[in-house]
């Protein structure tokens, strides 16, 4: 089966510019996650969707970050405007159903964002 | 709040056994997962413990003690390809859904 797809793989922008990332989860996976991973740190959950509804966005900086999953499949994460500290790898993951007792997350290759 | 502690770096030789510890402080604890991440790659799932005890999957085993808020990942017969970062991640019940928190990772260096 195809894995989680993300694009672009790399993005370089200047501060105050906008950027968007796209994620296509594994077919049939209801739960989709966006993580931010700063170099040398573990992934930090930004937002979690169950189908097209948000179940957790407590760590999403809502003044500049937004995300949507309109049809319960693909998702986009946007940053507007970007700051230097947003430089990180943005990982998308999906799972069958995040509320199951055992539920494995499958990660995409990530988008490496550099803000100059 | 939530916190996870794991060593930042561990070095071992090929063929040896290494244990990577993880202690956590969390409310609504549900289970502990382990992920492997090679440089420039995506995290890949290794194991999950919801109950106390040892789970074995090939050369990798994972242990959990809920009473001690402690777990570890055991890697046996180390190979060069095991050089990677290893993350423990807590699954916790929060509101109406499960939440996930990752540790900062342990970089494993396997030497010949």
């Amino acid at each position: 089966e195809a894995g989680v797809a993300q694009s672009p793989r790399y993005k370089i922008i200047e501060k105050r510019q906008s950027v968007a990332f796209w994620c296509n989860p594994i077919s049939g996976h209801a739960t989709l996650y966006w993580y931010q991973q700063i170099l040398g740190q573990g992934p930090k959950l930004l937002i979690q969707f169950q189908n097209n509804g948000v179940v957790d966005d407590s760590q999403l900086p809502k003044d500049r970050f937004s995300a949507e999953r309109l049809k319960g499949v693909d998702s986009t994460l946007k940053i507007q405007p970007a700051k230097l500290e947003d430089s990180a790898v943005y990982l998308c993951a999906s799972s069958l159903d995040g509320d199951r007792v055992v539920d494995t997350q499958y990660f995409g290759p990530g988008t490496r964002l550099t803000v100059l | 709040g939530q916190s996870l502690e794991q060593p930042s770096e561990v070095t071992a030789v090929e063929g040896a056994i290494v244990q990577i510890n993880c202690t956590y402080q969390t409310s609504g604890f549900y289970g502990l997962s382990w992920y492997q991440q090679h440089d420039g790659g995506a995290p890949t799932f290794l194991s999950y413990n919801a109950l106390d005890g040892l789970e074995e999957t090939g050369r990798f085993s994972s242990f959990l003690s809920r009473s001690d808020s402690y777990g570890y990942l055991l890697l046996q017969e180390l190979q060069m390809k095991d050089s990677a970062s290893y993350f423990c991640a807590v699954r916790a019940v929060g509101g109406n859904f499960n939440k996930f928190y990752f540790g900062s990772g342990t970089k494993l260096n396997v030497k010949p």
Side-chain angles (χ1 to χ4, degrees), chain A:
Chain A
E1 79 185 351
V4 177
Q6 289 187 247
S7 68
R9 292 295 312 278
Y10 305 91
K11 190 73 177 179
I12 300 174
I13 62 172
E14 295 189 349
K15 60 184 179 184
R16 291 188 289 274
Q17 285 188 323
S18 303
V19 65
F21 313 126
W22 173 82
C23 172
N24 182 236
I26 293 173
S27 177
H29 280 194
T31 310
L32 186 146
Y33 314 80
W34 281 103
Y35 289 88
Q36 179 193 59
Q37 187 174 25
I38 293 172
L39 188 64
Q41 298 182 18
K44 182 181 85 169
L45 181 66
L46 293 176
I47 189 167
Q48 179 178 341
F49 292 93
Q50 179 74 358
N51 296 310
N52 60 346
V54 175
V55 296
D56 181 12
D57 63 356
S58 56
Q59 298 191 96
L60 187 74
K62 298 180 187 62
D63 58 334
R64 298 184 301 106
F65 286 63
S66 64
E68 59 183 14
R69 193 185 183 199
L70 290 175
K71 297 182 179 178
V73 182
D74 293 10
S75 176
T76 56
L77 176 70
K78 296 180 182 178
I79 308 175
Q80 181 179 10
K83 292 185 176 181
L84 296 177
E85 58 260 36
D86 298 332
S87 293
V89 175
Y90 291 84
L91 295 162
C92 178
S94 71
S95 66
L96 270 174
D97 182 348
D99 211 28
R100 287 156 53 108
V101 172
V102 182
D103 189 51
T104 301
Q105 293 185 43
Y106 297 87
F107 284 82
T111 297
R112 184 176 297 275
L113 173 68
T114 302
V115 182
L116 304 175

Side-chain angles (χ1 to χ4, degrees), chain B residues 67-84:
Chain B
S67 59
D68 295 323
S69 298
Y70 163 76
Y72 66 72
L73 179 70
L74 191 74
L75 297 85
Q76 302 182 72
E77 301 173 15
L78 279 176
Q79 302 175 10
M80 297 298 292
K81 67 178 182 180
D82 296 330
S83 291

Side-chain angles (χ1 to χ4, degrees), chain B residues 29-57:
Chain B
F29 176 84
Y30 206 82
L32 187 71
S33 298
W34 289 92
Y35 286 80
Q36 179 192 61
Q37 186 177 32
H38 287 97
D39 282 348
T44 56
F45 174 80
L46 292 177
S47 68
Y48 176 73
N49 295 69
L51 302 175
D52 285 359
L54 192 69
E55 295 279 345
E56 298 181 69
T57 309

Side-chain angles (χ1 to χ4, degrees), chain B residues 10 13 21 31 49 51 60-61 63 66 86 93-95 102:
Chain B
V10 171
V13 297
N21 298 321
N49 295 69
L51 302 175
F60 293 2
S61 303
F63 172 83
R66 295 172 69 107
Y86 293 84
V93 175
F102 279 76

